[in-house]
Amino acid sequence: MSLLEGRTAVVTGGARGIGYEIARLFVEEGAAVVLGDLDEAEAVAAAKTLPGTALGFRCDVTVEDEVQSLLEYCTEEFGSLDVLVNNAGITRDKTMRNMSSDDFRSVVDVHLYGAWLGTKHASAIMREQGRGSIVNISSISGKSGNVGQTNYSAAKAGMVGLTKAAAKEVAHLGIRVNAVQPGLIRTAMTEAMPQHAWAAKLGDIPMGRAGEPAEVASVVLFLASDLASYVTGAVIEITGGRNL
Ligand code: NDP
């Protein structure tokens, strides 16, 4: 029996990177998935490459109407919304001396406000169904803080508070809300990093290597599925032992 047979899911920022790997694994496990992303053509193209039922939909997670439309698209097309993964992300890394208010606000907007919008509106649908699982993609940067990431670390730490508060609010409705904190994962976001910064980070990882998007996806699958039926408000680190 596949872990998400008959279930439906929305993955934001699902056109590439970690979100795409999550969507791919969900489809392999039997779910029908909607990939929400800024670029509609990319989302649709990515969905077509998945080995099962998947659709692409344009959504900017910082725009409330678009988040609602994305979630409604899933219920209209597939009949329910069982899983939401708040994954969309951006970075605007700079030391505070050089970081503008816009750099700060845009990162907090996408990660924290975007995840709040998703959690709020997905919960409204899931409460009617009497079940649902929401997984927020935080970061180990939200636990340990990184130089040049006062915006990103603040947003990712905020997602932990959001996860725990929401988990308590909606547990009695059959909705679980959890988060993961990946460390250094090999994606376009991290490949843009200067070589010396990459090497320095590797030195801090007890397992001695970066993680792969599929290694994040498998933990998200666990939280999304009934294997985690008694897990809510949890924050799981996926870091190869970094920043313990
Ligand atoms: P990518 O940059 O590869 O993918 C992020 C996706 O999110 C892109 O498709 C991007 O679209 C989309 N996106 C950006 N802004 C929005 C928005 N406003 N609305 C909808 N979609 C948007 O990133 P990763 O796969 O590396 O990261 C995925 C998540 O994992 C992020 O939340 C990130 O912070 C987190 N994470 C990543 C780690 C890593 O090492 N890679 C470590 C820890 C956490 P577009 O391409 O058009 O910009």
Side-chain angles (χ1 to χ4, degrees):
M1 178 71 175
S2 302
L3 288 174
L4 296 180
E5 200 62 54
R7 302 285 167 92
T8 62
V10 168
V11 182
T12 67
R16 65 184 173 124
I18 292 170
Y20 176 78
E21 269 315 298
I22 292 168
R24 194 181 59 73
L25 186 57
F26 279 14
V27 164
E28 279 177 10
E29 289 293 329
V33 178
V34 179
L35 310 184
D37 215 299
L38 278 179
D39 185 319
E40 182 175 20
E42 274 186 31
V44 169
K48 285 193 176 135
T49 66
L50 294 175
T53 307
L55 296 168
F57 194 83
R58 195 206 117 76
C59 172
D60 178 342
V61 297
T62 67
V63 180
E64 187 158 16
D65 287 355
E66 295 192 18
V67 172
Q68 283 180 284
S69 299
L70 171 68
L71 302 174
E72 281 163 13
Y73 183 66
C74 182
T75 59
E76 282 160 18
E77 292 293 322
F78 300 142
S80 66
L81 172 68
D82 298 314
V83 180
L84 169 66
V85 182
N86 288 308
N87 165 82
I90 59 169
T91 49
R92 298 282 183 272
D93 293 1
K94 282 175 193 146
T95 56
M96 274 192 290
R97 199 155 62 106
N98 298 311
M99 188 179 285
S100 66
S101 293
D102 191 49
D103 292 328
F104 184 85
R105 285 208 180 101
S106 58
V107 168
V108 171
D109 224 24
V110 173
H111 294 277
L112 185 53
Y113 180 57
W116 180 77
L117 282 178
T119 303
K120 173 182 165 74
H121 291 293
S123 297
I125 296 170
M126 290 169 175
R127 72 160 58 213
E128 300 300 322
Q129 300 170 174
R131 74 162 191 216
S133 171
I134 298 170
V135 184
N136 292 323
I137 311 299
S138 173
S139 165
I140 200 67
S141 176
K143 173 186 172 184
S144 61
N146 278 339
V147 171
Q149 292 196 320
T150 50
N151 49 3
Y152 185 80
S153 297
K156 291 305 200 184
M159 287 174 78
V160 171
L162 162 66
T163 300
K164 292 184 178 184
K168 288 181 180 174
E169 267 190 42
V170 298
H172 69 288
L173 302 168
I175 306 168
R176 297 181 296 103
V177 189
N178 292 289
V180 297
Q181 292 191 311
L184 184 64
I185 308 297
R186 200 182 298 278
T187 68
M189 192 181 268
T190 49
E191 275 166 3
M193 205 182 271
Q195 191 51 45
H196 68 273
W198 180 270
K201 282 189 192 291
L202 276 188
D204 285 342
I205 302 171
M207 285 178 71
R209 66 173 178 86
E212 299 299 329
E215 293 177 296
V216 177
S218 55
V219 180
V220 175
L221 170 66
F222 162 70
L223 290 172
S225 78
D226 291 344
L227 286 179
S229 56
Y230 199 53
V231 180
T232 197
V235 181
I236 301 184
E237 296 179 15
I238 312 169
T239 62
R242 183 170 151 222
N243 296 118
L244 290 175

